[in-house]
């Protein structure tokens, strides 16, 4: 069986099954985007990594290396944010073809450094190697969180509300615009795709209030990522399509290219917004507090239900259907709306 | 300027020059193989990564994925060992072609896990991505060390003795045997190259005795790696060729293929032995203690001299010459005795 046939998620399950029991200091291990490690005292170490491959995750003709540097930093910052953590130290591994211009590497590090420094993090190490093939950028980020503020995927309970930060589908809209010559260019959508904003401040603001029961960042798309919360928490979820926060610009582009904006919001991925669950009755105070502290909107998009109710989407006409969990599978062919398939 | 023209070490210098000042908690940053980060209390966090690229660092026809898993773990374990640290947590990033058989990945993780567990470390995270190109395996390793036991490259002083663990040149001898059909196969040399032994126990045994003034692991070759100690410590070094610990098997293979064994010992690289400096008069007790605790020999191979004396090698006929620092430069073409140039 080769990897294309097996698929990414089955591969990860297979890897997890082959690993031994962890020591006591490993609270969360392989299978989550972030490893959670108990340190001494009341602090947890957070460790995450994300590998980006030219031709799969990015194309040099559509992104500058500066934009790419910002984005790879943001992707990892977003993972730390989803645990309620503070990012601290980056390590960068690069596999680079020998013919690459050194200014490309300069731009990458400049972008990385700029994005990291916005959140108080440093680039402290890494290594470079030659490759006869595409550019590979692998970013590793360490962070910390107080144990009592740590948010996992596993705490959602029936009756909780599902909230998301910001708006959804913008990255997919930006991707749809990439390379569309002569199209109306909505700069903020291109930026949403090329240089997403990690919700580090929002993650901290949410975590320190202590009311959220679970959190994840939206890298694969809401329909897929809420599934991780459901699996880890042993619950189901019901989302309402007409509550999804979708900007006018995203709706305009969706109309332009003949795609349903709701689908981008659910399945587009790469929005790097946070999705969290909050007990019913406590969401309003949290929404107000996060808005006050960070300026960012939290929007209620659904509710947590019993596991037996499954994962459902309520359409605008009040009909319900199963929530398709079309996660971004790195080894599945033909997933639409991703850099792989950019024009 | 492209990367082949610039070279790896100039690239790293360029990267370092573009990074801002670190925060106070970063004791060692970019430019060393290991980042050293101050934690609370008397402990330092160690973080290292190493990226291995098919066709550059390994070839699938010469190494099984199980051997490769062991080796990539060992490379990172060796870096932590060189700081006197205890390895704890691995994260693994993989870029894999879709046509790769899943059993190859199984073997890689099995090898990684086996090697990690020998030293009490866990694989706690990582991620996988598709690549249209060579297999890329990037390994991150976190470790810890007590501040008072931390060994850096920067503490060597004039008059110190230079010691190494084990024997040198075995990996280069093993590499020379790879693919030599019909040659006398010395299994221990092949193993030295394909599955090197990281000196984690030796590193701890050395660190806790508190007499070593600096340490590094021999990944690029003694002549190059002692140079890092010299640069960071502001000293010179004089090595004696006829003190270099070279096994009979290595000498036999060197003779067989018409290469000088001393050159393999100095420049071959990938031995993953430790090189350390110890004040004159304290080396004998340390050698005995490490032998007693780990069974591993420490051999004195030279002395630290003033910076102005430079880096010298004393040949068996007592003539002296400059120590050529032919480090493994990932972007330089035609470096001999490396997997790149394996038959």
């Amino acid at each position: 069986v080769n990897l294309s046939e097996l698929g990414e998620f089955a591969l990860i399950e297979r890897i997890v099954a082959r690993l031994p029991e962890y020591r006591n200091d490993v609270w969360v291990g392989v299978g989550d985007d972030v490893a959670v490690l108990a340190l001494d005292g009341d602090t947890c170490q957070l460790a995450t990594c994300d590998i980006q491959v030219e031709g799969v995750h990015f194309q040099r003709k559509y992104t500058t290396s500066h934009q790419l540097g910002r984005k790879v930093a943001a992707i990892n910052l977003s993972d730390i944010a989803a645990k309620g953590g503070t990012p601290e130290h980056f390590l960068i591994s690069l596999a680079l073809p020998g013919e690459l211009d050194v200014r490309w590497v300069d731009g990458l590090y400049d972008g990385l450094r700029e994005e990291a420094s916005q959140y108080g993090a440093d680039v402290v190490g890494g290594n470079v190697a030659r490759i006869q093939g595409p550019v590979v950028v692998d970013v590793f980020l360490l962070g910390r969180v107080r144990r009592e503020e740590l948010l996992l995927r596993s705490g959602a309970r029936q009756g909780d509300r599902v909230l998301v930060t910001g708006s959804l589908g913008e990255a997919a809209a930006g991707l749809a615009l990439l390379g569309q010559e002569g199209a109306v260019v909505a700069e903020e959508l291109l930026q949403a795709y090329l240089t997403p904003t990690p919700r580090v401040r929002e993650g901290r603001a949410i975590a320190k209030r202590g009311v959220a029961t679970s959190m994840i960042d939206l890298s694969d798309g809401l329909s897929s990522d809420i599934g991780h919360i459901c699996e880890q928490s042993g619950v189901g979820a019901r989302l309402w399509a007409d509550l999804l926060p979708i900007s006018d610009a995203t709706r305009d582009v969706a109309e332009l290219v003949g795609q349903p904006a709701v689908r981008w919001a659910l399945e587009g991925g790469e929005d790097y917004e946070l999705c969290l669950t909050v007990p019913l009755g406590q969401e309003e105070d949290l929404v107000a507090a996060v808005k006050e502290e960070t300026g960012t909107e939290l929007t209620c998009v659904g509710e947590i239900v019993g596991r037996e109710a499954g994962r459902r989407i309520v359409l605008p006409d009040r009909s319900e259907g199963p929530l398709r969990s079309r996660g971004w599978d790195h080894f599945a062919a033909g997933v639409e709306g991703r850099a792989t398939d950019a024009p």
Side-chain angles (χ1 to χ4, degrees), chain A:
Chain A
V1 180
N2 74 30
L3 300 185
S4 294
E5 293 156 356
L6 187 67
E8 180 189 359
F9 296 108
L11 174 63
I12 293 172
E13 278 179 26
R14 190 171 168 123
I15 288 169
V16 171
R18 296 178 85 86
L19 292 172
E21 291 286 302
Y22 295 122
R23 301 180 309 179
N24 290 339
D25 66 339
V26 180
W27 287 18
V28 175
V30 173
D32 197 291
D33 288 340
V34 180
V36 180
L37 312 166
L39 290 177
D40 303 325
D42 67 346
T43 305
C44 287
Q45 171 102 64
L46 305 172
T48 186
C49 60
D50 195 89
I51 191 164
Q52 298 274 310
V53 180
E54 181 185 2
V56 175
H57 304 88
F58 66 91
Q59 300 196 42
R60 273 191 272 161
K61 64 179 166 178
Y62 292 123
T63 182
T64 67
S65 63
H66 188 277
Q67 289 171 323
L68 182 65
R70 288 189 55 192
K71 181 167 182 171
V72 296
I75 290 172
N76 285 274
L77 289 163
S78 178
D79 281 321
I80 298 296
K83 292 284 183 281
T86 302
E88 295 188 316
H89 302 112
F90 279 97
L91 285 86
I92 318 295
S93 281
L94 302 175
L96 304 171
E99 65 273 17
L100 193 69
D101 193 294
V102 68
R103 287 172 298 184
W104 193 91
V105 185
D106 291 344
L108 184 81
Y109 266 87
D110 288 348
L112 262 161
R113 182 172 44 75
E114 283 178 28
E115 190 75 18
S117 68
Q118 282 190 50
Y119 303 97
D122 280 328
V123 177
V124 300
N127 75 132
V128 291
R130 186 162 57 87
I131 188 170
Q132 288 169 311
V135 170
V136 178
V137 180
D138 193 20
V139 173
F140 176 71
L141 177 57
L142 295 174
R144 282 214 254 182
V145 64
R146 293 176 60 196
R147 288 184 189 204
E148 62 194 53
E149 293 177 357
L150 173 68
L151 282 165
L152 300 176
R153 298 172 176 182
S154 54
R157 287 163 299 189
Q158 194 169 343
D160 286 354
R161 298 288 128 168
V162 179
L163 279 68
V164 297
T165 58
S167 63
L168 303 180
E170 296 202 356
L175 179 61
L177 290 173
L178 263 193
Q180 293 265 13
E181 307 226 359
V184 179
V185 173
E187 186 61 30
E188 78 267 28
L189 299 180
L190 280 178
Q191 293 309 319
Y193 174 69
L194 292 173
T195 56
T197 301
R199 298 301 197 177
V200 176
R201 294 184 187 97
E202 293 79 1
R204 287 293 308 131
I206 292 162
K208 73 187 187 192
R209 266 148 192 106
V211 297
T213 53
S214 72
M215 193 150 71
I216 194 169
D217 73 318
L218 299 180
S219 53
D220 293 337
L222 178 60
S223 64
S224 173
D225 290 318
I226 190 74
H228 294 304
I229 285 182
C230 289
E231 279 159 28
Q232 295 294 313
S233 301
V235 296
R238 184 186 288 118
L239 304 183
W240 293 290
D242 58 8
L243 293 185
L244 296 171
I246 302 174
S247 71
D248 290 344
T250 298
R251 291 189 192 278
D252 289 348
V253 174
E255 194 168 328
L256 194 73
V257 302
Q259 288 278 337
V262 166
R263 188 160 170 192
W264 281 350
L266 287 172
E267 301 173 7
E270 298 214 76
D271 281 323
Y272 300 107
E273 299 293 348
L274 297 176
C275 171
L276 57 147
T277 56
V278 180
L280 180 61
Q282 300 195 48
E283 71 273 25
E284 281 186 28
D285 284 351
L286 183 66
V287 169
V290 171
K291 172 81 177 178
E292 164 82 17
E293 182 172 336
T294 69
T296 300
E297 296 284 354
L298 283 178
T299 305
C300 178
V301 298
E303 63 184 331
I304 295 297
V305 296
R307 172 186 283 193
E308 70 292 346
R311 302 168 205 166
R312 313 280 289 174
I313 177 83
V314 181
L315 299 174
D317 64 4
R318 298 292 138 190
S319 68
E320 273 190 42
L323 188 62
R324 293 188 307 170
S325 177
R326 296 192 59 191
W328 168 232
D329 185 324
H330 280 94
F331 295 101
V335 174
E336 70 199 30
R338 286 294 184 157
T340 324
D341 313 285

